[in-house]
Amino acid sequence: MTIVIQILVLALVIFSTLLVVGIPVTFASPGQWEKSKNLIYTGAGIWTGLVLITGIFNSFIN
């Protein structure tokens, strides 16, 4: 079970890094918000899901 938590945390860290870089670039690029709005909302949803799943799995470890 510990390896599952480690994999989830690694995925969360990598995905967070991608969002930290990608979202400001999208906001700074002219006209990109309209094209990438759904992608950013989907990314935020996936990130929220990863946080919740990691927390749920972490609650099973003593």
Side-chain angles (χ1 to χ4, degrees), residues 25-54:
V25 168
T26 301
F27 282 145
S29 301
Q32 286 293 344
W33 169 247
E34 295 301 323
K35 294 178 185 175
S36 303
K37 183 172 29 175
N38 290 334
L39 184 63
I40 290 175
Y41 288 147
T42 303
I46 292 171
W47 184 86
T48 303
L50 274 172
V51 169
L52 292 174
I53 291 170
T54 303

Side-chain angles (χ1 to χ4, degrees), residues 2-61:
T2 305
I3 191 74
V4 173
I5 297 295
Q6 291 175 348
I7 292 170
L8 284 170
V9 170
L10 178 65
L12 187 61
V13 168
I14 291 171
F15 199 72
S16 295
T17 304
L18 290 174
L19 288 177
V20 164
V21 172
I23 290 175
V25 168
T26 301
F27 282 145
S29 301
Q32 286 293 344
W33 169 247
E34 295 301 323
K35 294 178 185 175
S36 303
K37 183 172 29 175
N38 290 334
L39 184 63
I40 290 175
Y41 288 147
T42 303
I46 292 171
W47 184 86
T48 303
L50 274 172
V51 169
L52 292 174
I53 291 170
T54 303
I56 291 168
F57 273 95
N58 194 32
S59 69
F60 293 120
I61 294 181

